[in-house]
Amino acid sequence: MLYFARWKTILIWLAVLAGILFALPNVLTDSQRASLPRFMPDRPMTLGLDLQGGSYVLLEVDRASLVNDRLQSLRDDVQVSLRNANVGFNSVTEQNGGIQFTLRDPTQAEAARTALQGLTSPISTSLLAGGSVTETELAEIQPNTFRLTLTDAGVNYRLSTAVSQSIEVVRRRVDELGTTEPVIQRQGLDRIMVQVPGLQDPARLKNLLNQTARLTFRLVDVNNSAQAVAAGQQPAPAGSELLQTTDNPPAPILVQRQVMIAGDNLTDAQAGFDQQTNQPVVNIRFDSRGAQRFGEVTRDNVNRPFAIVLDDKVLSAPNIREPILGGQAQISGNFTVQTANDLAVLLRAGALPATLDIIEERTVGPGLGADSVAAGQNAGIIGGVFVIAFMLIAYGFLGVIANIALIVNVILLVAVLSVLGSTLTLPGIAGIVLTMGMAVDSNVLIYERILEERRQGRSVVQSIDAGFHKALGTIMDANITTLIAAAVLFFLGSGPVRGFAVTLALGIFTTIFTALTLTRWMVAFWVRRRRPKEVPRGYNFIPHGTNVRFMAIRKWAFATTLSLSVLAIASVFVGGLNFGIDFTGGTVLELRAKGDAADVAKIREDLSPIVDGDIQVQEFGTPRDVLIRFAVQPQDAANPQASVNAVRGALAQDYDFQRVEVVGPTVSGELAWAAIFGVGAAMLAIAVYVWVRFEWHFAVGALLATAHDVAMAMGFLVVSQLEFNLSTIAALLTIVGYSLNDTVVVFDRIRENLRKYKKMPIADIIDLSLNETLSRTMLTAVTLVLALVALYGFGGDVIRVFVAPMLVGVLVGVYSSIFIAAPILIYFRLRPDSIKGGATDETAKPSPSGGATAGKA
């Protein structure tokens, strides 16, 4: 494994060089990046809101409003359709979520069905994706009495359509703010996430989002020159105005000020194909009033261009070829399939079919963002220094190689994040620092195995080769368990939690590359050049030959563990967790006094008439900083921002608002269930992996040990009363991954010794395995603790909520690997002969020094 072909060497260092080039823009200024050669990448990572400040808003389409508006439109369409077909009916009414009418003449039932066929026919959901959905269903509930109802699929289609339209409107609104790199994304079926970095006026953002785009249909002024007006050669004639098209570059066009038809009368717009030319077109449909007006306008203006104007921009200006009756029209032009779909979305965006409610808001001030950047940088640098120094002390020259690999690991991680366009958040920085702590674990596994092989009498080259070879399986198992936790975090988390999951997962891949490829190449290069006579060693923190009889006290350990676990679980129900607004709903505001210090008592006095219920006001960090928390307010039901606006009005004169977070009860309930499901799913998925890789006995032991670690961390959160929020869930899932990481390393050695010593009692095998891996366990725990201590001490107040339970989790994870996961195998009566595989020596026994002496095979 120490031989590298030349092409492999070239590929390894090309990967390192590429990582350096792609990571370089992150340490350059804007002017320096602008002066880079064209072939050089110049895109750094995007900073999240918590690092550069800005506003985050989560919008939700009001389902009830959408259904109500759609039913009203259907009622008008039913009346018009039946009248046009000369079908007599009694009044059309809306009853119990449906449209109901009774025919005057029973013999016209079939004619009524035919007249309403256009409303009940399947409609195309997307020209690109294909497929259709039946939006309404017609049923004869009584003789001569019919009922038209919306289907669930139809309502979901309308919700999805409303989100698509709203995204376009929101995007144009946000662009008006002049901010850079806003993020506007669909979340699920009926939500839109808006993230605007650098925006410090959330009220302005919310006002813009609440505005409805104005869609109008107006005649084009063909009697005057738009180019002459645009050039200033003549003024715009009375009754007309100069607008620009949405083309690139935009073109001037004169349109009449008189609005012939408003977008309020447009009910739908869908991309399709012209039946004669088979070219992409956009089919639009008006309500009854709009259809009548559209027919009159097109009849009187044949062969004149008709401008479709959205937000004072002309989307299209097709010629009216013939009168368009019946409320349906077709817009044709030089469309592709994609542009036809885009135009259909833009047209629909003119008339939002439902209300957009703000159900979550988060705002971070620029000062707090700058503080977070400085704190994250300090924590990263100090954590890196701690880890590098420790590796030098523990392994000497091999520690130098490990540190080079560690630095390259961080560079590659930053490079990949930059290439993917990832947003770096404060939890993301924590993920990088945590990766530094966990990355050395692979090197520790390799180096400890090399030293162990050397103690057994192998040559230096053989020891190094065997060390890399035997550590490979353990490294993969340990990292895959953490990767599973990261995957669960990504799919169930949101916002910063997903950022942390991405960083952690990518860090695992870069760690595997640097440990198993780059480190091995550097060690092989050193061996070829130096021809060493001995493996370099550092300070031996765990003396060789340690022979602790862990299993002798397993019953005491189990009793202690059971007692503490019961207390921890009981404390959750008795003492209770300090749930953050992520799970309870409500508002959190972080304020900074404009003067020397904040007056907590006066803040409470000023807010008492404004906020109902308990108000928590406390100093946060410096005497100038104050944290305010209160529950969901009754006035927020009608206006989600009423309480925040009232607080701003009361305190804005004396305080700067550094951070604002508003979470509605709907979001908080969903997050609570997602958190419970996430932790459970991660534990189950990892247990299944352990079962597949080992046996079911090991999977149960790993599951119990992990459950113990989570319970201990929960107990710590109850005692400390640290806020329990989404970051805490990320910490718990990371504990799950790390705990299993350590347990898998122990299990891997137990499995190896079970095959090796087939007649040795199981308790002795476990003791032998634990002593053989004790050095790796302690060294890895120390490096990770050093990284976490740096985060806790220098990462800022916000990140401490994330780091503190992780520190506890690392410590109890070491304990559970030794005193819970391993002893469980004894109680399952696991015997060496139940492990498949050959044995190297059936009568071999461990030596007093913790190794093994070979007997006769």
Side-chain angles (χ1 to χ4, degrees):
M1 293 185 69
L2 295 182
Y3 171 75
F4 283 84
R6 179 169 296 179
W7 66 269
K8 289 184 180 179
T9 299
I10 294 173
L11 287 179
I12 291 171
W13 288 104
L14 279 178
V16 174
L17 178 61
I20 294 173
L21 291 178
F22 281 102
L24 183 62
N26 292 278
V27 297
L28 300 178
T29 63
D30 291 338
S31 59
Q32 290 172 334
R33 285 196 291 268
S35 62
L36 290 174
R38 289 188 176 182
F39 66 88
M40 290 276 291
D42 59 355
R43 186 176 67 174
M45 287 183 291
T46 302
L47 296 182
L49 296 187
D50 52 357
L51 296 181
Q52 65 171 315
S55 295
Y56 164 95
V57 173
L58 184 62
L59 306 167
E60 183 178 58
V61 175
D62 189 331
R63 186 184 184 97
S65 172
L66 181 143
V67 171
N68 182 63
D69 291 346
R70 186 60 188 141
L71 286 175
Q72 292 180 6
S73 177
L74 274 178
R75 183 178 59 186
D76 294 340
D77 290 341
V78 168
Q79 291 175 335
V80 171
S81 299
L82 293 178
R83 288 189 183 121
N84 290 339
N86 295 320
V87 176
F89 60 92
N90 293 326
S91 61
V92 179
T93 60
E94 178 184 340
Q95 296 183 12
N96 300 324
I99 304 301
Q100 196 166 308
F101 62 91
T102 303
L103 297 180
R104 296 172 184 166
D105 184 357
T107 61
Q108 289 189 307
E110 190 61 34
R113 289 190 178 91
T114 302
L116 299 177
Q117 188 173 2
L119 300 178
T120 58
S121 299
I123 56 178
S124 175
T125 56
S126 172
L127 184 63
L128 293 177
S132 60
V133 63
T134 300
E135 184 183 10
T136 58
E137 292 179 345
L138 181 66
E140 188 173 2
I141 57 176
Q142 294 178 1
N144 301 330
T145 300
F146 291 81
R147 181 177 176 82
L148 193 68
T149 56
L150 294 172
T151 65
D152 290 338
V155 173
N156 289 337
Y157 161 71
R158 289 291 170 181
L159 279 172
S160 178
T161 301
V163 171
S164 298
Q165 337 175 33
S166 302
I167 285 176
E168 297 305 316
V169 176
V170 168
R171 193 181 306 280
R172 287 191 295 273
R173 292 289 182 256
V174 172
D175 287 342
E176 292 181 11
L177 296 173
T179 58
T180 58
E181 299 182 346
V183 178
I184 303 168
Q185 297 175 345
R186 174 195 291 265
Q187 283 196 354
L189 176 68
D190 57 354
R191 291 179 182 173
I192 303 171
M193 184 271 287
V194 182
Q195 185 171 290
V196 188
L199 178 66
Q200 303 311 317
D201 188 2
R204 183 185 177 196
L205 173 64
K206 288 178 286 186
N207 289 336
L208 286 172
L209 296 181
N210 288 333
Q211 292 179 8
T212 302
R214 178 168 173 75
L215 178 72
T216 58
F217 293 81
R218 295 189 257 173
L219 292 171
V220 175
D221 186 345
V222 295
N223 298 320
N224 297 279
S225 171
Q227 287 73 18
V229 175
Q233 298 174 359
Q234 67 179 62
S240 298
E241 64 177 330
L242 183 69
L243 300 179
Q244 301 288 329
T245 67
T246 57
D247 300 328
N248 189 18
I253 185 171
L254 272 177
V255 298
Q256 295 182 359
R257 293 182 181 273
Q258 181 183 4
V259 175
M260 309 305 292
I261 305 168
D264 297 336
N265 300 120
L266 185 68
T267 61
D268 197 14
Q270 295 291 335
F273 289 100
D274 188 287
Q275 296 182 354
Q276 297 179 352
T277 64
N278 203 33
Q279 293 296 314
V281 296
V282 177
N283 299 308
I284 57 177
R285 185 170 63 186
F286 294 94
D287 58 17
S288 55
R289 183 179 300 176
Q292 181 180 358
R293 179 60 180 157
F294 195 76
E296 294 172 356
V297 172
T298 55
R299 183 184 62 238
D300 298 338
N301 296 278
V302 174
N303 294 325
R304 287 193 62 180
F306 203 29
I308 304 169
V309 183
L310 179 64
D311 289 341
D312 292 329
K313 296 287 185 181
V314 178
L315 300 179
S316 177
N319 283 326
I320 302 173
R321 294 184 294 187
E322 58 185 8
I324 303 173
L325 308 176
Q328 295 187 4
Q330 185 181 93
I331 301 175
S332 59
N334 296 321
F335 294 130
T336 64
V337 171
Q338 183 65 59
T339 57
N341 274 276
D342 292 343
L343 180 56
V345 170
L346 289 173
L347 290 177
R348 293 196 303 267
L352 295 179
T355 304
L356 289 178
D357 297 326
I358 299 176
I359 59 175
E360 185 179 359
E361 173 201 346
R362 302 179 191 270
T363 302
V364 178
L368 185 61
D371 292 344
S372 298
V373 171
Q377 289 176 342
N378 292 337
I381 293 172
I382 295 172
V385 170
F386 282 171
V387 173
I388 288 173
F390 183 78
M391 289 299 291
L392 285 174
I393 296 172
Y395 292 107
F397 179 75
L398 289 180
V400 174
I401 294 178
N403 288 333
I404 294 174
L406 176 62
I407 294 172
V408 172
N409 187 2
V410 174
I411 292 174
L412 291 177
L413 178 55
V414 172
V416 174
L417 290 172
S418 301
V419 171
L420 295 178
S422 299
T423 300
L424 183 64
T425 61
L426 198 56
I429 293 179
I432 294 176
V433 178
L434 185 62
T435 298
M436 293 168 60
M438 299 181 67
V440 298
D441 176 51
S442 298
N443 291 101
V444 170
L445 282 169
I446 294 169
Y447 292 169
E448 287 298 310
R449 198 76 198 213
I450 290 173
L451 294 174
E452 184 179 334
E453 295 295 325
R454 180 61 176 154
R455 285 194 294 268
Q456 292 179 1
R458 293 179 182 268
S459 67
V460 173
V461 174
Q462 289 175 335
S463 298
I464 293 174
D465 187 68
F468 277 98
H469 177 75
K470 292 185 177 181
L472 174 62
T474 307
I475 291 173
M476 296 303 297
D477 285 334
N479 281 284
I480 287 175
T481 55
T482 308
L483 186 62
I484 292 173
V488 174
L489 262 177
F490 180 80
F491 286 108
L492 297 182
S494 62
V497 175
R498 299 188 79 177
F500 170 76
V502 170
T503 305
L504 185 61
L506 294 176
I508 291 172
F509 289 109
T510 57
T511 294
I512 291 175
F513 169 77
T514 54
L516 298 181
T517 304
L518 182 62
T519 299
R520 187 161 59 91
W521 185 94
M522 288 189 292
V523 170
F525 180 81
W526 168 70
V527 169
R528 289 197 306 271
R529 286 300 180 93
R530 295 294 183 180
R531 303 290 182 179
K533 303 297 183 182
E534 189 54 73
V535 177
R537 301 171 188 266
Y539 182 79
N540 194 6
F541 290 93
I542 305 296
H544 172 61
T546 301
N547 189 20
V548 180
R549 306 298 295 175
F550 293 105
M551 294 303 99
I553 59 172
R554 65 179 184 273
K555 293 182 180 179
W556 292 100
F558 272 147
T560 303
T561 296
L562 184 61
S563 301
L564 291 176
S565 298
V566 171
L567 287 175
I569 295 173
S571 68
V572 174
F573 295 97
V574 177
L577 294 165
N578 179 21
F579 286 105
I581 64 167
D582 290 330
F583 299 109
T584 62
T587 302
V588 169
L589 303 101
E590 187 175 336
L591 279 62
R592 177 164 293 172
K594 296 179 180 178
D596 295 333
D599 190 340
V600 173
K602 188 175 186 305
I603 291 175
R604 288 197 184 97
E605 181 181 347
D606 292 341
L607 296 186
S608 294
I610 299 174
V611 178
D612 294 337
D614 183 37
I615 308 173
Q616 298 181 25
V617 184
Q618 64 188 64
E619 287 189 0
F620 182 74
T622 69
R624 295 179 58 201
D625 297 325
V626 177
L627 194 69
I628 302 173
R629 292 179 58 180
F630 52 86
V632 177
Q633 298 295 296
Q635 63 263 37
D636 290 339
N639 179 9
Q641 305 302 311
S643 61
V644 174
N645 294 336
V647 172
R648 283 183 182 276
L651 302 178
Q653 184 175 353
D654 300 321
Y655 296 90
D656 292 324
F657 284 70
Q658 299 288 84
R659 177 167 64 103
V660 178
E661 295 188 15
V662 181
V663 178
T666 301
V667 175
S668 62
E670 293 173 355
L671 293 177
W673 282 111
I676 295 172
F677 181 72
V679 175
M683 292 176 61
L684 183 61
I686 294 174
V688 170
Y689 176 79
V690 175
W691 188 340
V692 172
R693 287 289 291 135
F694 296 87
E695 290 189 8
W696 69 268
H697 316 77
F698 293 90
V700 174
L703 197 59
L704 291 176
T706 306
H708 162 269
D709 297 344
V710 173
M712 291 296 102
M714 297 285 284
F716 167 76
L717 291 170
V718 173
V719 173
S720 65
Q721 282 298 289
L722 288 173
E723 183 177 308
F724 190 84
N725 52 29
L726 285 179
S727 295
T728 312
I729 294 299
L732 291 178
L733 284 171
T734 307
I735 290 172
V736 170
Y738 172 78
S739 176
L740 266 298
N741 183 309
D742 193 53
T743 300
V744 164
V745 171
V746 174
F747 279 176
D748 190 77
R749 184 56 64 94
I750 291 174
R751 179 176 59 178
E752 180 181 335
N753 286 331
L754 282 169
R755 292 170 175 171
K756 193 174 184 180
Y757 310 115
K758 301 190 71 173
K759 292 186 178 181
M760 184 185 296
I762 184 64
D764 292 342
I765 285 181
I766 293 175
D767 275 335
L768 174 63
S769 303
L770 289 174
N771 280 283
E772 288 178 343
T773 58
L774 186 61
S775 178
R776 173 265 165 201
T777 298
M778 300 309 298
L779 290 175
T780 300
V782 169
T783 54
L784 190 54
V785 165
L786 288 174
L788 291 174
V789 166
L791 277 174
Y792 186 86
F794 304 97
D797 293 315
V798 177
I799 205 66
R800 289 193 180 110
V801 178
F802 173 79
V803 174
M806 284 193 59
L807 270 170
V808 175
V810 169
L811 298 177
V812 298
V814 173
Y815 171 86
S816 65
S817 297
I818 296 174
F819 290 110
I820 299 177
I824 287 292
L825 302 178
I826 297 177
Y827 293 97
F828 285 140
R829 301 186 180 278
L830 186 66
R831 288 292 183 267
D833 57 4
S834 68
I835 303 297
K836 296 180 180 180
T840 59
D841 191 348
E842 293 187 4
T843 60
K845 296 181 180 181
S847 68
S849 64
T853 57
K856 185 177 181 180

